[in-house]
Amino acid sequence: MRARDLLTAFPTVTLETPVAEAARLLADQGLPGLIVVDGDGLPISILPGTQVLRLAVPGYCQDDPALARVIDEAHADVFLRAVAGRTVREAMPRERRELPVTDPDATVLEVAALMARTHSPLAAVVEDGRLVGAVTLRTLLDRVLVA
């Protein structure tokens, strides 16, 4: 089995996509993350859904989750609305990480190793200089566990 056998069409965003739009894609389609592409449509990063949450959750609550307990729901909603007007660029991890990109001929083990090494819930698949889809952790596990 190769990456091409696990391939899924996958939505993309750019660095200038509004975070609210990215969050809607994540929620509406039940995605673990999004592929961030450049102007040519080539992957430049993977944006895990947790990075979008980092924009909405105050840093002090991330540092000490017990502090989140003292914030009532009305004020929590204010934090979530704070992502309005912000872009995917602002949600990107500060540290540059290895980009989980592979080709359609990669074996299942190669894709799994790439995803594990990069801590990514998906791997972008590029062929002949263009994005052809992605392999998600769910698809990978579904296929491997059935085999």
Side-chain angles (χ1 to χ4, degrees):
M1 189 176 312
R2 303 288 175 168
R4 76 173 74 258
D5 303 316
L6 304 171
L7 204 57
T8 302
F10 214 81
T12 61
V13 295
T14 68
L15 290 172
E16 303 314 315
T17 300
V19 167
E21 182 180 323
R24 266 195 282 328
L25 274 172
L26 289 165
D28 291 348
Q29 296 185 32
L31 302 173
L34 295 167
I35 299 172
V36 182
V37 295
D38 64 13
D40 295 323
L42 291 175
I44 56 172
S45 188
I46 300 296
L47 177 66
T50 53
Q51 284 299 126
V52 173
L53 282 179
R54 290 180 66 81
L55 281 182
V57 178
Y60 58 85
C61 289
Q62 292 175 45
D63 294 339
D64 185 357
L67 293 175
R69 208 174 268 262
V70 300
I71 299 171
D72 63 23
E73 291 300 313
H75 287 92
D77 289 345
V78 170
F79 292 130
L80 294 175
R81 285 193 299 270
V83 300
R86 301 188 76 183
T87 65
V88 164
R89 181 183 308 277
E90 295 171 82
M92 297 299 296
R94 287 181 176 36
E95 292 182 20
R96 188 87 176 175
R97 294 152 74 179
E98 179 184 356
L99 184 59
V101 173
T102 192
D103 64 86
D105 291 323
T107 65
V108 169
L109 186 55
E110 288 175 305
V111 175
L114 174 64
M115 291 168 77
R117 185 176 64 248
T118 59
H119 304 278
S120 179
L122 58 105
V125 180
V126 174
E127 182 175 38
D128 297 328
R130 67 179 187 75
L131 179 68
V132 293
V135 175
T136 65
L137 178 61
R138 181 179 179 168
T139 301
L140 182 90
L141 291 176
D142 282 349
R143 287 289 182 91
V144 170
L145 294 176
V146 169

